[in-house]
Amino acid sequence: SSGALVGIDELQSWTFEEQSILLSVMEEGIFFLLKYAKNAPIEALTTILATANPQDIIYSKGRTTIARNEITLLPPLYDRFDQVYVFLDNRDINEKRRYADMRIQFTEERRPHNYNYITKYLLYAKKIEPVLTPEAKATLKEFWVKLSESNLAGNRSLDSIFRIAQAMAKLQLKTVIDM
């Protein structure tokens, strides 16, 4: 069965009840739709891209990681995301000017997008089932062990690391996950 791509903006503004429903769908891969007095299971194999803002509008100064208490999310839901990126606002006045110039230039250029190519590329890449080389397997395992020893990763992170390695190989149209 095919999966879907779901985009969620401002996830931190969801109530804990709404977040727990999303968590349940992420854990089970099934969403139950109650309609016409019938409870119909719907397969929900999805990739979720979500944005969230910190509680105090800006992240703590000088940090490139997120403290769990900076975003109002259920801890198990936070753990379900394979990758988390922090985008910090420019603090330097010259950086702000450069950003504004780049943004204005990007807006003025209005480059056309080739969504058909991207769609075909991703559909083709999705069919690839890359295999791990023994070296890559050992490297990913040791990477996870070091993260785990530093309390930076849990057991679920091991699955994430391997999923990310597989996804990267697919994006590069490779049949092998290598170093």
Side-chain angles (χ1 to χ4, degrees), residues 82-83 159-169:
D82 289 342
Q83 298 181 32
D159 296 334
S160 296
I161 289 168
F162 281 91
R163 274 196 306 272
I164 292 166
Q166 184 180 46
M168 292 301 298

Side-chain angles (χ1 to χ4, degrees), residues 1-6 25 28-31 42-47 126:
S1 92
S2 63
L5 177 64
V6 175
V25 171
E28 302 299 325
I30 297 172
F31 179 79
I42 297 174
E43 208 170 292
L45 304 174
T46 59
T47 298
K126 185 178 178 180

Side-chain angles (χ1 to χ4, degrees), residues 23-37:
L23 176 62
S24 176
V25 171
M26 292 171 81
E27 287 176 341
E28 302 299 325
I30 297 172
F31 179 79
F32 291 94
L33 177 66
L34 181 60
K35 193 168 186 175
Y36 304 118

Side-chain angles (χ1 to χ4, degrees), residues 18 32 40 86 110 114 118 149:
E18 292 166 332
F32 291 94
V86 177
R110 297 194 184 264
N114 189 345
I118 293 170
E149 286 177 341

Side-chain angles (χ1 to χ4, degrees), residues 141-154 157 161:
K141 181 178 81 175
E142 287 307 310
F143 175 70
W144 175 78
V145 167
K146 286 180 183 175
L147 287 176
S148 182
E149 286 177 341
S150 303
N151 292 323
L152 295 173
S157 300
I161 289 168

